[in-house]
């Protein structure tokens, strides 16, 4: 566990976009690893039943003894679910396909939208010494994603630099407003990060221009390039910083982490 010299509450960020394939899990893993490289203690919460965040960090299904499912459904103490990863300063609450039934199992629970909020604010969480908690959300606006938004201080939205990229943002922003009005008035947009960006491509540049025109300072200055090293790294169960620290992808996530810290 991180060294709990001064107990503190971590900053909780939900990494979400209901559109699949936009780089949510890639951003969660690599931003988390980049923050850890900057000396921060980081917990990744795998909230996607596909468990790609766990797999991408080399955690076999057989080794996921306690999972995010236990955290939500059985209300297991978070200290029993958190596990170390192979990256110094980076920790994980893993997920399995069990999480896919959570919506149904939690439907009758009166506090179903607050379960992750309560888990991440339970007595003792401050003493674990985390600086950041990044929640890898599923590609849908379901109960799991609502749990993430209710638990979070802010929302970080990966936005793929491709056609129709901005279309789904309106529904996401509406959900954020609804959660802010009903359950988490302090929830804010941490920022929009452009992913899979190709500066040689007119479409990527147009998406960036549209995003910056419509969303202004919400869009991070750092963009994440389309980079083969970023794509290859998960097959080696490594963040791109560990796989190829000099690659454009690694340098971009380092810059994003520094920009996030500065914010």
């Amino acid at each position: 566990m991180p060294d709990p010299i001064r107990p503190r509450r971590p900053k909780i960020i939900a990494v979400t976009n209901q559109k699949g394939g936009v780089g949510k899990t890639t951003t969660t893993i690599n931003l988390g690893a980049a923050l850890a490289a900057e000396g921060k203690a980081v917990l990744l919460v795998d909230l996607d039943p596909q468990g790609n965040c766990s797999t991408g960090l080399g955690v076999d299904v057989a080794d996921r003894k306690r999972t995010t499912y236990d955290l939500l459904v059985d209300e297991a103490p978070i200290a029993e679910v958190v596990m170390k990863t192979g990256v110094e300063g980076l920790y994980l609450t893993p997920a399995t396909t069990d999480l896919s039934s959570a919506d149904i199992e939690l439907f009758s629970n009166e506090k179903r939208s607050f379960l992750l909020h309560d888990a991440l604010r339970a007595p003792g969480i401050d003493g674990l010494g985390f600086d950041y908690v990044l929640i890898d959300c599923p590609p849908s606006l379901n109960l799991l994603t609502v749990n993430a938004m209710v638990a979070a201080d802010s929302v970080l939205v990966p936005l793929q630099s491709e056609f129709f990229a901005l279309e789904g943002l309106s529904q996401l922003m509406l959900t954020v407003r609804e959660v802010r009005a009903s359950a988490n008035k302090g929830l804010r947009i941490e920022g929009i990060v452009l992913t899979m960006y190709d500066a040689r491509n007119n479409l990527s540049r147009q998406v960036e221009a549209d995003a910056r025109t419509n969303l202004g300072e919400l869009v991070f200055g750092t963009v994440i390039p389309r980079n083969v090293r970023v794509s290859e790294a998960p097959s080696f169960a490594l963040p791109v910083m560990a796989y190829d620290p000099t690659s454009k992808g690694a340098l971009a996530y380092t810059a994003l982490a520094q920009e996030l810290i500065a914010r």
Side-chain angles (χ1 to χ4, degrees):
M1 291 294 162
D3 183 12
I5 297 174
R6 288 195 300 272
R8 59 188 180 275
R9 192 176 81 75
K11 181 173 185 177
I12 303 171
I13 302 174
V15 182
T16 185
N17 188 330
Q18 75 272 23
K19 192 172 185 294
V22 300
K24 284 188 300 297
T25 299
T26 298
T27 295
T28 303
I29 291 173
N30 289 302
L31 177 57
L35 287 168
E38 295 292 320
K40 305 300 182 182
V42 183
L43 173 64
L44 306 185
V45 176
D46 193 345
L47 202 63
D48 188 343
Q50 296 177 85
N52 289 337
C53 188
S54 307
T55 303
L57 286 166
V59 181
D60 291 334
V61 174
D63 295 327
R64 302 174 201 178
K65 305 299 184 187
R66 299 283 265 171
T67 68
T68 311
Y69 174 90
D70 299 300
L71 198 65
L72 297 178
V73 177
D74 296 335
E75 299 184 39
I78 192 164
E80 294 181 8
V81 182
V82 172
M83 61 187 301
K84 289 183 177 180
T85 72
V87 178
E88 183 68 29
L90 190 63
Y91 299 79
L92 173 72
T93 65
T96 63
T97 54
D98 288 350
L99 201 55
S100 61
S101 65
D103 271 28
I104 297 170
E105 293 186 52
L106 297 174
F107 185 76
S108 61
N109 190 322
E110 290 184 357
K111 58 176 185 176
R112 57 184 173 272
S113 298
F114 289 84
L115 294 169
L116 186 58
H117 170 280
D118 293 349
L120 294 178
R121 287 167 176 77
I125 182 70
D126 295 357
L128 295 178
F130 293 117
D131 297 295
Y132 290 91
V133 175
L134 303 183
I135 307 170
D136 185 31
C137 297
S140 60
L141 295 176
N142 61 9
L143 181 57
L144 293 175
T145 301
V146 170
N147 258 271
M149 289 187 182
V150 173
D153 299 303
S154 61
V155 171
L156 188 151
V157 185
L159 188 71
Q160 190 175 7
S161 303
E162 292 190 357
F163 198 57
F164 295 136
L166 294 173
E167 278 202 346
L169 272 184
S170 58
Q171 182 58 49
L172 178 62
M173 296 298 191
L174 179 60
T175 303
V176 169
R177 285 197 293 271
E178 289 173 350
V179 170
R180 189 183 289 146
S182 63
N184 183 2
K185 65 181 180 180
L187 182 66
R188 65 184 184 85
I189 305 293
E190 186 69 40
I192 314 293
V193 57
L194 293 165
T195 61
M196 305 178 195
Y197 185 87
D198 185 348
R200 301 166 300 176
N201 188 312
N202 287 335
L203 182 57
S204 282
R205 294 199 301 272
Q206 186 60 54
V207 170
E208 179 182 19
D210 289 348
R212 296 194 188 282
T213 297
N214 290 295
L215 301 166
E217 293 183 357
L218 281 180
V219 183
F220 280 92
T222 304
V223 299
I224 307 301
R226 188 176 291 279
N227 179 247
V228 67
R229 295 306 195 194
V230 172
S231 301
E232 290 173 348
S235 64
F236 292 88
L238 292 170
V240 69
M241 276 68 72
Y243 179 61
D244 186 350
T246 62
S247 66
K248 289 182 179 180
L251 296 175
Y253 276 111
T254 297
L256 180 63
Q258 292 169 346
E259 189 175 351
L260 178 65
I261 292 168
R263 285 190 172 198

